mmCIF file of all heavy atoms in Angstrom:
data_model
loop_
_atom_site.group_PDB
_atom_site.id
_atom_site.type_symbol
_atom_site.label_atom_id
_atom_site.label_comp_id
_atom_site.label_asym_id
_atom_site.label_seq_id
_atom_site.Cartn_x
_atom_site.Cartn_y
_atom_site.Cartn_z
ATOM 1 N N ASP A 46 21.003 45.591 -65.771
ATOM 2 C CA ASP A 46 19.692 45.585 -65.111
ATOM 3 C C ASP A 46 19.034 46.962 -65.229
ATOM 4 O O ASP A 46 19.417 47.899 -64.530
ATOM 5 C CB ASP A 46 19.868 45.183 -63.638
ATOM 6 C CG ASP A 46 18.523 45.043 -62.933
ATOM 7 O OD1 ASP A 46 17.484 45.410 -63.520
ATOM 8 O OD2 ASP A 46 18.513 44.575 -61.775
ATOM 9 N N LEU A 47 18.044 47.060 -66.121
ATOM 10 C CA LEU A 47 17.343 48.330 -66.356
ATOM 11 C C LEU A 47 15.906 48.217 -65.835
ATOM 12 O O LEU A 47 14.983 48.786 -66.404
ATOM 13 C CB LEU A 47 17.338 48.653 -67.855
ATOM 14 C CG LEU A 47 18.688 48.550 -68.587
ATOM 15 C CD1 LEU A 47 18.513 48.832 -70.080
ATOM 16 C CD2 LEU A 47 19.702 49.521 -67.979
ATOM 17 N N SER A 48 15.733 47.454 -64.743
ATOM 18 C CA SER A 48 14.368 47.102 -64.333
ATOM 19 C C SER A 48 13.803 47.919 -63.184
ATOM 20 O O SER A 48 12.595 47.879 -62.960
ATOM 21 C CB SER A 48 14.323 45.620 -63.942
ATOM 22 O OG SER A 48 15.044 45.421 -62.738
ATOM 23 N N ASP A 49 14.632 48.636 -62.412
ATOM 24 C CA ASP A 49 14.051 49.185 -61.169
ATOM 25 C C ASP A 49 14.190 50.698 -60.975
ATOM 26 O O ASP A 49 13.937 51.199 -59.872
ATOM 27 C CB ASP A 49 14.594 48.426 -59.951
ATOM 28 C CG ASP A 49 16.084 48.631 -59.741
ATOM 29 O OD1 ASP A 49 16.701 49.435 -60.486
ATOM 30 O OD2 ASP A 49 16.643 47.998 -58.831
ATOM 31 N N ASN A 50 14.574 51.429 -62.018
ATOM 32 C CA ASN A 50 14.578 52.903 -61.973
ATOM 33 C C ASN A 50 15.503 53.511 -60.918
ATOM 34 O O ASN A 50 15.295 54.652 -60.493
ATOM 35 C CB ASN A 50 13.157 53.458 -61.775
ATOM 36 C CG ASN A 50 12.205 52.999 -62.846
ATOM 37 O OD1 ASN A 50 12.649 52.599 -63.928
ATOM 38 N ND2 ASN A 50 10.925 53.030 -62.572
ATOM 39 N N THR A 51 16.492 52.738 -60.470
ATOM 40 C CA THR A 51 17.480 53.303 -59.552
ATOM 41 C C THR A 51 18.522 54.089 -60.369
ATOM 42 O O THR A 51 18.480 54.094 -61.598
ATOM 43 C CB THR A 51 18.169 52.196 -58.745
ATOM 44 O OG1 THR A 51 18.594 51.179 -59.662
ATOM 45 C CG2 THR A 51 17.207 51.584 -57.730
ATOM 46 N N ASN A 52 19.449 54.755 -59.682
ATOM 47 C CA ASN A 52 20.459 55.560 -60.371
ATOM 48 C C ASN A 52 21.574 54.645 -60.890
ATOM 49 O O ASN A 52 22.354 54.107 -60.108
ATOM 50 C CB ASN A 52 21.027 56.610 -59.413
ATOM 51 C CG ASN A 52 21.961 57.574 -60.127
ATOM 52 O OD1 ASN A 52 22.532 57.250 -61.179
ATOM 53 N ND2 ASN A 52 22.119 58.756 -59.573
ATOM 54 N N LEU A 53 21.643 54.462 -62.188
ATOM 55 C CA LEU A 53 22.599 53.501 -62.765
ATOM 56 C C LEU A 53 24.011 54.075 -62.848
ATOM 57 O O LEU A 53 24.935 53.381 -63.272
ATOM 58 C CB LEU A 53 22.098 53.025 -64.127
ATOM 59 C CG LEU A 53 20.738 52.288 -64.049
ATOM 60 C CD1 LEU A 53 20.246 51.911 -65.436
ATOM 61 C CD2 LEU A 53 20.832 51.049 -63.168
ATOM 62 N N TRP A 54 24.170 55.346 -62.413
ATOM 63 C CA TRP A 54 25.524 55.902 -62.272
ATOM 64 C C TRP A 54 26.097 55.545 -60.891
ATOM 65 O O TRP A 54 27.244 55.838 -60.601
ATOM 66 C CB TRP A 54 25.505 57.414 -62.483
ATOM 67 C CG TRP A 54 25.435 57.775 -63.939
ATOM 68 C CD1 TRP A 54 26.504 58.038 -64.762
ATOM 69 C CD2 TRP A 54 24.264 57.895 -64.760
ATOM 70 N NE1 TRP A 54 26.041 58.307 -66.038
ATOM 71 C CE2 TRP A 54 24.686 58.224 -66.066
ATOM 72 C CE3 TRP A 54 22.905 57.747 -64.517
ATOM 73 C CZ2 TRP A 54 23.790 58.414 -67.129
ATOM 74 C CZ3 TRP A 54 22.014 57.930 -65.572
ATOM 75 C CH2 TRP A 54 22.452 58.260 -66.857
ATOM 76 N N GLY A 55 25.259 54.932 -60.045
ATOM 77 C CA GLY A 55 25.745 54.465 -58.746
ATOM 78 C C GLY A 55 25.225 55.299 -57.591
ATOM 79 O O GLY A 55 24.394 56.188 -57.777
ATOM 80 N N PRO A 56 25.716 54.982 -56.353
ATOM 81 C CA PRO A 56 25.212 55.680 -55.165
ATOM 82 C C PRO A 56 25.859 57.047 -54.976
ATOM 83 O O PRO A 56 26.988 57.278 -55.417
ATOM 84 C CB PRO A 56 25.616 54.747 -54.028
ATOM 85 C CG PRO A 56 26.824 54.026 -54.535
ATOM 86 C CD PRO A 56 26.682 53.924 -56.034
ATOM 87 N N ALA A 57 25.148 57.939 -54.298
ATOM 88 C CA ALA A 57 25.718 59.227 -53.898
ATOM 89 C C ALA A 57 27.030 58.944 -53.153
ATOM 90 O O ALA A 57 27.024 58.218 -52.160
ATOM 91 C CB ALA A 57 24.737 59.977 -53.010
ATOM 92 N N PRO A 58 28.175 59.502 -53.619
ATOM 93 C CA PRO A 58 29.487 59.098 -53.086
ATOM 94 C C PRO A 58 29.653 59.310 -51.582
ATOM 95 O O PRO A 58 30.229 58.458 -50.901
ATOM 96 C CB PRO A 58 30.476 59.976 -53.860
ATOM 97 C CG PRO A 58 29.734 60.520 -55.038
ATOM 98 C CD PRO A 58 28.270 60.450 -54.745
ATOM 99 N N SER A 59 29.139 60.402 -51.026
ATOM 100 C CA SER A 59 29.358 60.674 -49.592
ATOM 101 C C SER A 59 28.669 59.650 -48.701
ATOM 102 O O SER A 59 29.064 59.455 -47.547
ATOM 103 C CB SER A 59 28.808 62.042 -49.210
ATOM 104 O OG SER A 59 29.293 63.009 -50.073
ATOM 105 N N ALA A 60 27.623 59.010 -49.225
ATOM 106 C CA ALA A 60 26.866 58.059 -48.415
ATOM 107 C C ALA A 60 27.713 56.836 -48.047
ATOM 108 O O ALA A 60 27.559 56.268 -46.965
ATOM 109 C CB ALA A 60 25.610 57.623 -49.164
ATOM 110 N N ILE A 61 28.626 56.474 -48.930
ATOM 111 C CA ILE A 61 29.422 55.260 -48.691
ATOM 112 C C ILE A 61 30.321 55.446 -47.467
ATOM 113 O O ILE A 61 30.335 54.608 -46.550
ATOM 114 C CB ILE A 61 30.266 54.918 -49.939
ATOM 115 C CG1 ILE A 61 29.338 54.736 -51.154
ATOM 116 C CG2 ILE A 61 31.115 53.672 -49.712
ATOM 117 C CD1 ILE A 61 30.055 54.692 -52.481
ATOM 118 N N ALA A 62 31.030 56.568 -47.424
ATOM 119 C CA ALA A 62 31.909 56.853 -46.291
ATOM 120 C C ALA A 62 31.095 56.984 -45.003
ATOM 121 O O ALA A 62 31.516 56.519 -43.932
ATOM 122 C CB ALA A 62 32.700 58.132 -46.558
ATOM 123 N N ALA A 63 29.934 57.612 -45.104
ATOM 124 C CA ALA A 63 29.099 57.808 -43.902
ATOM 125 C C ALA A 63 28.669 56.462 -43.328
ATOM 126 O O ALA A 63 28.663 56.268 -42.113
ATOM 127 C CB ALA A 63 27.885 58.665 -44.249
ATOM 128 N N ILE A 64 28.331 55.516 -44.197
ATOM 129 C CA ILE A 64 27.914 54.189 -43.708
ATOM 130 C C ILE A 64 29.087 53.497 -43.021
ATOM 131 O O ILE A 64 28.945 52.912 -41.951
ATOM 132 C CB ILE A 64 27.414 53.317 -44.868
ATOM 133 C CG1 ILE A 64 26.127 53.916 -45.409
ATOM 134 C CG2 ILE A 64 27.245 51.853 -44.421
ATOM 135 C CD1 ILE A 64 25.053 52.960 -45.754
ATOM 136 N N ARG A 65 30.268 53.589 -43.641
ATOM 137 C CA ARG A 65 31.450 52.944 -43.043
ATOM 138 C C ARG A 65 31.695 53.447 -41.629
ATOM 139 O O ARG A 65 31.949 52.665 -40.722
ATOM 140 C CB ARG A 65 32.691 53.232 -43.899
ATOM 141 C CG ARG A 65 32.714 52.410 -45.154
ATOM 142 C CD ARG A 65 34.149 52.122 -45.621
ATOM 143 N NE ARG A 65 34.062 51.389 -46.881
ATOM 144 C CZ ARG A 65 34.199 51.967 -48.075
ATOM 145 N NH1 ARG A 65 34.475 53.262 -48.175
ATOM 146 N NH2 ARG A 65 34.072 51.247 -49.164
ATOM 147 N N SER A 66 31.601 54.761 -41.438
ATOM 148 C CA SER A 66 31.945 55.275 -40.109
ATOM 149 C C SER A 66 30.763 55.233 -39.140
ATOM 150 O O SER A 66 30.907 55.584 -37.974
ATOM 151 C CB SER A 66 32.510 56.695 -40.221
ATOM 152 O OG SER A 66 31.548 57.527 -40.796
ATOM 153 N N SER A 67 29.597 54.778 -39.608
ATOM 154 C CA SER A 67 28.434 54.767 -38.718
ATOM 155 C C SER A 67 28.432 53.562 -37.777
ATOM 156 O O SER A 67 27.651 53.519 -36.831
ATOM 157 C CB SER A 67 27.137 54.775 -39.541
ATOM 158 O OG SER A 67 26.969 53.525 -40.182
ATOM 159 N N GLY A 68 29.308 52.590 -38.035
ATOM 160 C CA GLY A 68 29.297 51.345 -37.270
ATOM 161 C C GLY A 68 29.477 51.525 -35.781
ATOM 162 O O GLY A 68 28.917 50.770 -34.975
ATOM 163 N N GLU A 69 30.228 52.540 -35.390
ATOM 164 C CA GLU A 69 30.512 52.747 -33.963
ATOM 165 C C GLU A 69 29.256 53.026 -33.137
ATOM 166 O O GLU A 69 29.271 52.872 -31.923
ATOM 167 C CB GLU A 69 31.484 53.936 -33.800
ATOM 168 C CG GLU A 69 32.872 53.598 -34.308
ATOM 169 C CD GLU A 69 33.623 54.826 -34.806
ATOM 170 O OE1 GLU A 69 33.373 55.921 -34.278
ATOM 171 O OE2 GLU A 69 34.437 54.656 -35.731
ATOM 172 N N ARG A 70 28.185 53.446 -33.796
ATOM 173 C CA ARG A 70 27.003 53.864 -33.028
ATOM 174 C C ARG A 70 25.911 52.801 -32.938
ATOM 175 O O ARG A 70 24.864 53.037 -32.332
ATOM 176 C CB ARG A 70 26.410 55.132 -33.655
ATOM 177 C CG ARG A 70 27.344 56.327 -33.558
ATOM 178 C CD ARG A 70 26.642 57.628 -33.933
ATOM 179 N NE ARG A 70 26.092 57.613 -35.287
ATOM 180 C CZ ARG A 70 26.828 57.828 -36.386
ATOM 181 N NH1 ARG A 70 28.128 58.049 -36.290
ATOM 182 N NH2 ARG A 70 26.267 57.809 -37.574
ATOM 183 N N ILE A 71 26.161 51.618 -33.494
ATOM 184 C CA ILE A 71 25.025 50.695 -33.638
ATOM 185 C C ILE A 71 24.622 49.937 -32.378
ATOM 186 O O ILE A 71 23.641 49.208 -32.385
ATOM 187 C CB ILE A 71 25.215 49.701 -34.812
ATOM 188 C CG1 ILE A 71 26.452 48.844 -34.593
ATOM 189 C CG2 ILE A 71 25.244 50.431 -36.138
ATOM 190 C CD1 ILE A 71 26.621 47.760 -35.654
ATOM 191 N N ALA A 72 25.341 50.089 -31.277
ATOM 192 C CA ALA A 72 24.882 49.463 -30.035
ATOM 193 C C ALA A 72 23.645 50.169 -29.487
ATOM 194 O O ALA A 72 22.882 49.593 -28.707
ATOM 195 C CB ALA A 72 25.996 49.491 -28.987
ATOM 196 N N ARG A 73 23.454 51.423 -29.890
ATOM 197 C CA ARG A 73 22.340 52.220 -29.361
ATOM 198 C C ARG A 73 21.240 52.388 -30.406
ATOM 199 O O ARG A 73 21.488 52.241 -31.604
ATOM 200 C CB ARG A 73 22.845 53.615 -28.936
ATOM 201 C CG ARG A 73 23.986 53.583 -27.939
ATOM 202 C CD ARG A 73 23.652 52.861 -26.649
ATOM 203 N NE ARG A 73 22.475 53.412 -25.977
ATOM 204 C CZ ARG A 73 22.531 54.368 -25.065
ATOM 205 N NH1 ARG A 73 23.684 54.882 -24.687
ATOM 206 N NH2 ARG A 73 21.419 54.810 -24.517
ATOM 207 N N TYR A 74 20.034 52.713 -29.958
ATOM 208 C CA TYR A 74 18.940 53.007 -30.881
ATOM 209 C C TYR A 74 19.229 54.279 -31.668
ATOM 210 O O TYR A 74 19.883 55.191 -31.153
ATOM 211 C CB TYR A 74 17.623 53.203 -30.119
ATOM 212 C CG TYR A 74 16.993 51.900 -29.724
ATOM 213 C CD1 TYR A 74 17.241 51.344 -28.482
ATOM 214 C CD2 TYR A 74 16.171 51.218 -30.611
ATOM 215 C CE1 TYR A 74 16.677 50.131 -28.120
ATOM 216 C CE2 TYR A 74 15.594 50.010 -30.260
ATOM 217 C CZ TYR A 74 15.855 49.471 -29.013
ATOM 218 O OH TYR A 74 15.290 48.281 -28.659
ATOM 219 N N PRO A 75 18.716 54.338 -32.884
ATOM 220 C CA PRO A 75 18.815 55.613 -33.617
ATOM 221 C C PRO A 75 17.813 56.609 -33.034
ATOM 222 O O PRO A 75 17.041 56.267 -32.141
ATOM 223 C CB PRO A 75 18.403 55.212 -35.041
ATOM 224 C CG PRO A 75 17.478 54.058 -34.865
ATOM 225 C CD PRO A 75 17.974 53.316 -33.632
ATOM 226 N N ALA A 76 17.799 57.833 -33.559
ATOM 227 C CA ALA A 76 16.764 58.797 -33.170
ATOM 228 C C ALA A 76 15.406 58.209 -33.556
ATOM 229 O O ALA A 76 15.263 57.623 -34.628
ATOM 230 C CB ALA A 76 16.999 60.120 -33.890
ATOM 231 N N ALA A 77 14.405 58.350 -32.684
ATOM 232 C CA ALA A 77 13.108 57.695 -32.909
ATOM 233 C C ALA A 77 12.475 58.143 -34.223
ATOM 234 O O ALA A 77 11.878 57.345 -34.949
ATOM 235 C CB ALA A 77 12.167 57.988 -31.739
ATOM 236 N N TYR A 78 12.592 59.441 -34.542
ATOM 237 C CA TYR A 78 11.998 59.962 -35.784
ATOM 238 C C TYR A 78 13.032 60.726 -36.618
ATOM 239 O O TYR A 78 12.694 61.700 -37.280
ATOM 240 C CB TYR A 78 10.771 60.824 -35.453
ATOM 241 C CG TYR A 78 9.666 60.024 -34.783
ATOM 242 C CD1 TYR A 78 9.507 60.042 -33.399
ATOM 243 C CD2 TYR A 78 8.822 59.212 -35.532
ATOM 244 C CE1 TYR A 78 8.519 59.280 -32.778
ATOM 245 C CE2 TYR A 78 7.834 58.443 -34.923
ATOM 246 C CZ TYR A 78 7.686 58.484 -33.547
ATOM 247 O OH TYR A 78 6.714 57.727 -32.944
ATOM 248 N N SER A 79 14.284 60.287 -36.547
ATOM 249 C CA SER A 79 15.330 60.758 -37.470
ATOM 250 C C SER A 79 15.511 62.278 -37.496
ATOM 251 O O SER A 79 15.448 62.910 -38.559
ATOM 252 C CB SER A 79 15.031 60.281 -38.899
ATOM 253 O OG SER A 79 14.614 58.953 -38.900
ATOM 254 N N THR A 80 15.779 62.843 -36.323
ATOM 255 C CA THR A 80 15.856 64.307 -36.205
ATOM 256 C C THR A 80 16.838 64.970 -37.164
ATOM 257 O O THR A 80 16.507 65.980 -37.794
ATOM 258 C CB THR A 80 16.263 64.699 -34.755
ATOM 259 O OG1 THR A 80 15.605 63.794 -33.866
ATOM 260 C CG2 THR A 80 15.890 66.122 -34.437
ATOM 261 N N SER A 81 18.046 64.412 -37.305
ATOM 262 C CA SER A 81 19.024 65.106 -38.151
ATOM 263 C C SER A 81 18.672 64.966 -39.634
ATOM 264 O O SER A 81 18.926 65.863 -40.440
ATOM 265 C CB SER A 81 20.453 64.620 -37.869
ATOM 266 O OG SER A 81 20.525 63.235 -38.029
ATOM 267 N N LEU A 82 18.038 63.867 -39.981
ATOM 268 C CA LEU A 82 17.601 63.669 -41.366
ATOM 269 C C LEU A 82 16.460 64.634 -41.710
ATOM 270 O O LEU A 82 16.438 65.234 -42.792
ATOM 271 C CB LEU A 82 17.140 62.221 -41.529
ATOM 272 C CG LEU A 82 16.756 61.767 -42.923
ATOM 273 C CD1 LEU A 82 17.893 61.986 -43.899
ATOM 274 C CD2 LEU A 82 16.368 60.287 -42.898
ATOM 275 N N VAL A 83 15.541 64.808 -40.765
ATOM 276 C CA VAL A 83 14.442 65.759 -40.968
ATOM 277 C C VAL A 83 15.009 67.159 -41.202
ATOM 278 O O VAL A 83 14.567 67.882 -42.097
ATOM 279 C CB VAL A 83 13.470 65.730 -39.761
ATOM 280 C CG1 VAL A 83 12.536 66.934 -39.771
ATOM 281 C CG2 VAL A 83 12.672 64.430 -39.754
ATOM 282 N N ARG A 84 16.019 67.520 -40.423
ATOM 283 C CA ARG A 84 16.647 68.842 -40.582
ATOM 284 C C ARG A 84 17.272 68.959 -41.979
ATOM 285 O O ARG A 84 17.124 69.967 -42.667
ATOM 286 C CB ARG A 84 17.700 69.042 -39.494
ATOM 287 C CG ARG A 84 18.013 70.501 -39.227
ATOM 288 C CD ARG A 84 19.056 70.673 -38.096
ATOM 289 N NE ARG A 84 18.763 69.904 -36.895
ATOM 290 C CZ ARG A 84 19.587 68.976 -36.365
ATOM 291 N NH1 ARG A 84 20.754 68.693 -36.929
ATOM 292 N NH2 ARG A 84 19.237 68.330 -35.263
ATOM 293 N N ALA A 85 17.950 67.897 -42.430
ATOM 294 C CA ALA A 85 18.591 67.925 -43.753
ATOM 295 C C ALA A 85 17.551 68.067 -44.867
ATOM 296 O O ALA A 85 17.717 68.877 -45.792
ATOM 297 C CB ALA A 85 19.429 66.669 -43.950
ATOM 298 N N PHE A 86 16.468 67.316 -44.785
ATOM 299 C CA PHE A 86 15.411 67.412 -45.813
ATOM 300 C C PHE A 86 14.767 68.801 -45.793
ATOM 301 O O PHE A 86 14.422 69.359 -46.839
ATOM 302 C CB PHE A 86 14.325 66.348 -45.593
ATOM 303 C CG PHE A 86 14.762 64.949 -45.929
ATOM 304 C CD1 PHE A 86 14.327 63.865 -45.163
ATOM 305 C CD2 PHE A 86 15.593 64.689 -47.017
ATOM 306 C CE1 PHE A 86 14.709 62.564 -45.470
ATOM 307 C CE2 PHE A 86 15.979 63.389 -47.334
ATOM 308 C CZ PHE A 86 15.539 62.326 -46.552
ATOM 309 N N SER A 87 14.597 69.331 -44.581
ATOM 310 C CA SER A 87 13.983 70.648 -44.436
ATOM 311 C C SER A 87 14.817 71.709 -45.162
ATOM 312 O O SER A 87 14.282 72.564 -45.872
ATOM 313 C CB SER A 87 13.861 70.948 -42.948
ATOM 314 O OG SER A 87 13.755 72.322 -42.714
#
Side-chain angles (χ1 to χ4, degrees):
D46 185 351
L47 311 177
S48 69
D49 66 5
N50 303 339
T51 49
N52 187 336
L53 298 177
W54 282 267
S59 309
I61 302 168
I64 293 221
R65 284 209 183 99
S66 60
S67 71
E69 290 152 30
R70 295 191 301 280
I71 61 175
R73 304 301 304 269
Y74 281 93
Y78 297 98
S79 317
T80 322
S81 56
L82 185 56
V83 165
R84 202 179 311 121
F86 288 143
S87 158

